[in-house]
Amino acid sequence: MSIASSIKVDESSGITYLNIENDFACAQVSLYGGHVLSYVPKKDNKERLWLSPHAVKTGEKPIRGGIPVCWPWFSDDHGREKGELPSHGFLRSQVWKLTSSQDTSEGTEIVITPSFTRADGFEYDCDVSLTVFVGETLTVTLQTVNKGLVPFTFNTALHTYFEVENIANVQLEGLIGDYKDKTNNWAIKSTPADYKIEQETDRIHLDAAKSVIINENGDALTRVNSSGHDSIVVWNPWQGAASISDMDAFGYKQMICVETACTQGYSLSPEERHTLTQIIHPV
């Protein structure tokens, strides 16, 4: 298979990286975890994805930051005791492979697939692929196809970490309705009209907003468009970052997660497919 000319392949500490540069943007994808690590549009040369400076990039554990792929469950919602199965599923801790790539007049497209999709906790036959398009926007699409004879139910998310200068100056726009607050025993609360992050935040927004804008210092920085989802998850560990081994104690000030997710159980019949898409628009 020939590789698109905009892609340079690199390897470090046993991990293979796809470094993409075209007329519109630069990006980096790790084949360990099927993980987008960086996206820098050339219109303003601002990094949109946050990557922890303490991220472990040796293949020993999932990489902290970028766009982790959560599948076939979200968080520890796998029906077992917490810790018995890997949090957020098993795709983000395996080696993926590049199956196709192409350059177009609008950017670069790659398709990658995981080594396996059947493991402890998910005993079903299916195909999974991640399509990443790097152009004036970054489009990430996770597709699941049921290849078996029985239906199954799964959850999934694109757990995107966005980089900001200072979380104190960040405001989210576009979220409405109720959310489930993990920090308060999953209490149902109303989304604030003035949406700022001022404490530990771990919320599943049940109104599946199609567009969320990340504002900083009163200006729009990034618009996040979503489809195929039933929830938007917002996460910032706040001072709890100090207890996260692969995150700086003050790293929470430079990031916010706005995640395109299915958290309420999506059922897929034989030969049916589900497509989860997140589009990152520099504003």
Side-chain angles (χ1 to χ4, degrees):
M1 179 189 67
S2 60
I3 299 177
S5 61
S6 63
I7 301 173
K8 304 301 181 186
V9 181
D10 186 25
E11 186 169 320
S12 177
S13 300
I15 294 180
T16 301
Y17 299 95
L18 307 178
N19 297 299
I20 302 167
E21 182 173 3
N22 54 41
D23 292 340
F24 309 101
C26 298
Q28 185 180 59
V29 178
S30 164
L31 290 186
Y32 173 71
H35 202 135
V36 182
L37 301 180
S38 173
Y39 172 63
V40 181
K42 291 185 175 180
K43 66 174 289 185
D44 58 14
N45 291 314
K46 288 185 178 181
E47 176 65 73
R48 287 315 196 272
L49 303 180
W50 180 85
L51 184 66
S52 172
H54 301 299
V56 177
K57 293 190 284 185
T58 60
E60 297 176 37
K61 62 183 296 185
I63 298 171
R64 173 75 61 184
I67 310 180
V69 174
C70 306
W71 187 99
W73 54 79
F74 181 78
S75 187
D76 294 300
D77 187 17
H78 43 56
R80 306 269 192 90
E81 291 294 324
K82 184 176 181 180
E84 188 175 338
L85 294 173
S87 180
H88 292 314
F90 49 82
L91 291 191
R92 66 192 188 122
S93 58
Q94 63 174 272
V95 177
W96 295 50
K97 64 180 179 180
L98 177 67
T99 57
S100 70
S101 64
Q102 64 172 330
D103 290 323
T104 73
S105 61
E106 297 180 338
T108 305
E109 180 186 85
I110 66 168
V111 180
I112 58 177
T113 53
S115 300
F116 57 88
T117 58
R118 184 173 184 151
D120 189 19
F122 188 81
E123 303 288 347
Y124 299 98
D125 293 322
C126 65
D127 289 339
V128 173
S129 63
L130 188 75
T131 301
V132 180
F133 188 86
V134 179
E136 290 185 352
T137 63
L138 175 68
T139 301
V140 182
T141 301
L142 184 70
Q143 183 170 266
T144 304
V145 183
N146 185 343
K147 303 300 289 185
L149 300 176
V150 297
F152 60 76
T153 300
F154 70 107
N155 285 320
T156 183
L158 298 170
H159 191 310
T160 308
Y161 292 71
F162 290 94
E163 181 165 303
V164 297
E165 291 182 4
N166 191 331
I167 192 65
N169 301 323
V170 170
Q171 185 173 10
L172 299 181
E173 178 184 330
L175 293 166
I176 61 173
D178 293 335
Y179 67 86
K180 296 166 65 177
D181 189 348
K182 185 177 180 180
T183 68
N184 190 14
N185 198 31
W186 297 113
I188 303 297
K189 299 182 180 180
S190 297
T191 298
D194 186 17
Y195 203 125
K196 297 181 179 180
I197 307 298
E198 299 174 319
Q199 60 187 359
E200 181 184 356
T201 302
D202 197 348
R203 302 169 177 174
I204 297 179
H205 288 266
L206 303 175
D207 184 276
K210 294 182 178 180
S211 183
V212 177
I213 297 175
I214 302 172
N215 296 307
E216 186 162 16
N217 294 312
D219 296 322
L221 176 66
T222 305
R223 185 170 75 251
V224 185
N225 285 2
S226 304
S227 63
H229 61 311
D230 62 24
S231 314
I232 295 290
V233 178
V234 177
W235 181 71
N236 182 292
W238 207 248
Q239 295 179 1
S243 65
I244 300 175
S245 62
D246 54 358
M247 190 170 177
D248 183 86
F250 299 101
Y252 72 91
K253 295 184 178 182
Q254 276 73 57
M255 55 73 63
I256 184 171
C257 285
V258 179
E259 310 168 31
T260 300
C262 288
T263 65
Q264 300 174 59
Y266 191 91
S267 295
L268 209 58
S269 298
E271 296 304 321
E272 189 179 4
R273 67 187 60 217
H274 173 262
T275 302
L276 183 72
T277 300
Q278 184 181 82
I279 306 175
I280 298 172
H281 294 257
V283 179

